[in-house]
Amino acid sequence: MSMSKKVGFIDCETRGAQHLYNMAPQDQFRLGQWAFGRDGEVHTTDDYDTFMSEAIEPADMLVGHNLFYDTTVLFGKDSTKPLEMALERRLLDTFVIYPVKFRIPVVYDLPNGKKATTYQDGKQKPELLKRFLALGKLTHNLGLTGKSG
């Protein structure tokens, strides 16, 4: 007998990475959005406790973009929970998976039709890679709708 997993697709907005070490998770959290399964109803809340109890706790697995950052914010900088979940294969971070699955180009098209690059002065630059790996850009690359709201 196989048991199906409850997969939560999540995204949360925070006060910013500059506050990761000086704000409690409840203060850092601004907005959360989630759905269970591919066709699940999308829910949104600005309440940390609701997001944790309705989106995070019931999920057997979480899928998100830059999920390792989001879970560090959600559980707090001193928590080992994100690492434990990763080791249990309960986190799938599209920010990490995309460059493993797809080649990162030197030059690429932006959604507005302009061109951009991941290189500067003959070297691939982390800040330019980060722009390429932004959620909106990746959804565009894959022909998906992208972020909403």
Side-chain angles (χ1 to χ4, degrees):
M1 172 173 44
S2 72
M3 299 178 76
S4 64
K5 291 189 181 253
K6 189 168 186 176
V7 178
F9 295 86
I10 70 160
D11 187 30
C12 69
E13 302 303 325
T14 69
R15 305 252 179 245
Q18 71 273 22
H19 298 296
L20 182 60
Y21 298 103
N22 65 10
M23 289 181 110
Q26 297 83 348
D27 298 326
Q28 172 76 314
F29 178 84
R30 289 189 313 120
L31 184 70
Q33 193 170 51
W34 74 97
F36 287 105
R38 290 178 184 252
D39 300 317
E41 182 181 350
V42 176
H43 304 273
T44 304
T45 186
D46 61 2
D47 182 72
Y48 171 85
D49 293 325
T50 298
F51 190 69
M52 293 301 285
S53 67
E54 294 185 19
I56 305 302
E57 291 171 11
D60 296 311
M61 179 179 208
L62 295 173
V63 177
H65 192 73
N66 206 3
L67 191 57
F68 295 119
Y69 170 77
D70 287 349
T71 54
T72 298
V73 167
L74 293 170
F75 290 105
K77 64 179 174 47
D78 296 321
S79 176
T80 60
K81 186 70 173 173
L83 176 59
E84 293 166 21
M85 293 176 76
L87 291 171
E88 294 166 356
R89 297 180 179 191
R90 295 181 53 212
L91 298 179
L92 179 64
D93 191 335
T94 57
F95 186 80
V96 175
I97 294 296
Y98 188 92
V100 171
K101 174 99 174 126
F102 300 100
R103 184 175 175 86
I104 295 180
V106 173
V107 176
Y108 61 93
D109 294 321
L110 294 170
N112 64 8
K114 293 183 179 180
K115 300 262 185 215
T117 183
T118 58
Y119 278 72
Q120 186 177 28
D121 302 324
K123 295 180 183 175
Q124 202 164 43
K125 299 288 185 173
E127 61 274 12
L128 299 176
L129 283 171
K130 189 174 177 186
R131 286 184 196 158
F132 175 78
L133 292 171
L135 181 57
K137 176 66 192 100
L138 296 187
T139 55
H140 172 75
N141 291 352
L142 298 170
L144 301 172
T145 305
K147 286 182 87 165
S148 64

